[in-house]
Amino acid sequence: MRDTKESRLLLVLLIAIAFALITVDIRGGEESPVDGARQAAASVFGPVENGVAAAVDPIGNAIGAVRGSGDRHDRIKQLELENAQLKQRLGSDERRESRLRQLDGLIRTAAAGQYGIKGAEVIAIGAAQGFSWTVTIDIGSDDGVQRDMTVINNDGLVGRVTTVGPNTSTVLLANDPDFTVGTRMEKTDELGFATGQGDRPLLVQLLNGKSKVKNGDRLVTFGSQGNKPFVPGVPVGEVVRVDPARGDLTRNVYVRPYVGFSKLDIVGVVVQAPRADPRDTVLPPKPAAPRPTPTVTVTVTPGATPPEGDGQAQDNGQAQDGQPQDGGLDPGAGDGGDATGQNDDE
């Protein structure tokens, strides 16, 4: 509609009529003259309003859910954080128990060999000084560590110290190809030299080419002059393969080291050598051989009648080896006869 003088007058008139109707409706209360018109409008527009409300209601619920999702999201985040903290605490407890076991084993090893040690923690693994297999420990010269000291853990020989700083040291591991240590066989005292081969077993060259060696034989360190770089008696490993003897001056055997070089954690630097060679006392006791299980063989004579009952021999009244016992005599036997029915006089 165009904005003219007539349209403005009509708008003012409609507004005046609306106010008049509102005034009459308010003054009339329940008997308002416009109540009938209101009911008629409600009957016409009510279904339309219900339909619109039904269509809009899910949207309203979704809006309410979105508004409440912030609280639920925060709660989920809080639960996830609590779970992560619980897992971390459990993991820390397991790691703490593992480290306590390692430390306890290290102390036992040092006590068995009478080694004076300084405990340390491995804080880095890698080629810090150009070596293939090295670790860095958290003690150094300020703790009394010197170059060419033996490093052990609860399982045996770890390596030797190569570089020393005030607070840290570098250890060359026994499986490094540049690592060599003198060894001695348990019981037989056969001497040799063990060389690292990375993640493969150590290669040990025995000085006696005709020495008798078998799988499972164990080796310890022979020791160095002045106990540097190696103190004697530290467990090295056990033989897993033996090259056949060929009449050579030396003989090669392959030894699985006791130490797991890829999972080092707690170690000890031997700062004081033992007064006497501990020999084989540091080696762990060998597991007891399993006892053979006794077997019982039952031989059944062909044609024999199985005993009555459950088929097992009874103490009284049962036959053994086909002969009746006392109380089960043959009907042909007389008084005082033996089990065959013959008299003692015969």
Side-chain angles (χ1 to χ4, degrees):
M1 182 167 48
R2 297 176 62 183
D3 187 12
T4 61
K5 184 176 180 181
E6 290 80 6
S7 62
R8 292 180 180 178
L9 291 175
L10 180 59
L11 178 61
V12 171
L13 179 61
L14 291 175
I15 294 174
I17 293 173
F19 274 106
L21 292 174
I22 293 172
T23 303
V24 172
D25 184 40
I26 293 175
R27 291 181 178 181
E30 296 181 356
E31 297 179 357
S32 172
V34 297
D35 186 59
R38 184 186 295 110
Q39 293 179 359
S43 63
V44 173
F45 294 105
V48 177
E49 291 175 347
N50 289 334
V52 173
V56 174
D57 187 63
I59 300 176
N61 292 338
I63 294 173
V66 170
R67 289 175 179 175
S69 65
D71 296 337
R72 287 195 294 272
H73 182 72
D74 294 341
R75 178 57 179 164
I76 291 173
K77 283 293 186 183
Q78 181 180 358
L79 292 174
E80 290 177 349
L81 179 60
E82 292 175 356
N83 289 337
Q85 292 174 347
L86 178 59
K87 291 179 180 179
Q88 183 178 6
R89 185 165 61 253
L90 292 175
S92 299
D93 291 342
E94 292 177 359
R95 186 166 186 265
R96 187 180 300 110
E97 291 178 0
S98 174
R99 295 172 68 127
L100 287 175
R101 288 193 298 268
Q102 293 180 53
L103 182 58
D104 182 67
L106 176 62
I107 294 174
R108 291 176 182 272
T109 300
Q114 297 298 307
Y115 307 126
I117 63 170
K118 285 279 188 178
E121 179 182 356
V122 174
I123 58 175
I125 299 176
Q129 305 295 332
F131 300 113
S132 322
W133 294 84
T134 59
V135 295
T136 302
I137 57 177
D138 62 348
I139 59 175
S141 57
D142 291 348
D143 304 286
V145 178
Q146 299 177 6
R147 180 182 172 88
D148 286 337
M149 283 185 168
T150 308
V151 182
I152 64 174
N153 71 355
N154 56 307
D155 293 321
L157 179 66
V158 172
R160 62 181 176 87
V161 177
T162 57
T163 305
V164 181
N167 302 306
T168 61
S169 302
T170 301
V171 178
L172 179 67
L173 301 181
N175 64 336
D176 187 276
D178 290 335
F179 187 96
T180 301
V181 58
T183 61
R184 180 179 55 79
M185 296 287 298
E186 180 187 15
K187 295 182 180 179
T188 64
D189 290 341
E190 294 288 351
L191 302 181
F193 293 95
T195 302
Q197 296 193 111
D199 54 0
R200 295 179 296 167
L202 305 176
L203 172 62
V204 178
Q205 291 184 314
L206 296 178
L207 300 183
N208 183 4
K210 299 180 180 180
S211 58
K212 294 181 180 181
V213 188
K214 64 181 183 300
N215 289 350
D217 287 348
R218 305 188 294 181
L219 296 86
V220 298
T221 56
F222 177 67
S224 306
Q225 185 176 4
N227 296 309
K228 284 189 178 182
F230 303 109
V231 294
V234 179
V236 175
E238 65 179 41
V239 176
V240 293
R241 184 161 66 92
V242 181
D243 283 350
R246 300 177 181 175
D248 297 334
L249 296 179
T250 60
R251 189 175 187 185
N252 293 342
V253 299
Y254 298 88
V255 174
R256 180 178 64 244
Y258 288 125
V259 172
F261 298 105
S262 61
K263 51 183 180 181
L264 293 171
D265 189 6
I266 303 298
V267 299
V269 179
V270 181
V271 296
Q272 183 177 357
R275 295 181 179 180
D277 187 346
R279 305 291 294 177
D280 302 329
T281 59
V282 188
L283 284 169
K286 287 187 175 182
R291 295 182 178 180
T293 303
T295 57
V296 178
T297 303
V298 178
T299 303
V300 179
T301 304
T305 302
E308 296 180 357
D310 58 0
Q312 296 180 353
Q314 304 293 329
D315 292 339
N316 297 318
Q318 269 309 358
Q320 293 182 354
D321 299 333
Q323 299 293 338
Q325 294 179 346
D326 293 342
L329 300 178
D330 190 5
D335 293 340
D338 60 13
T340 62
Q342 296 178 351
N343 294 328
D344 294 334
D345 298 333
E346 292 181 356

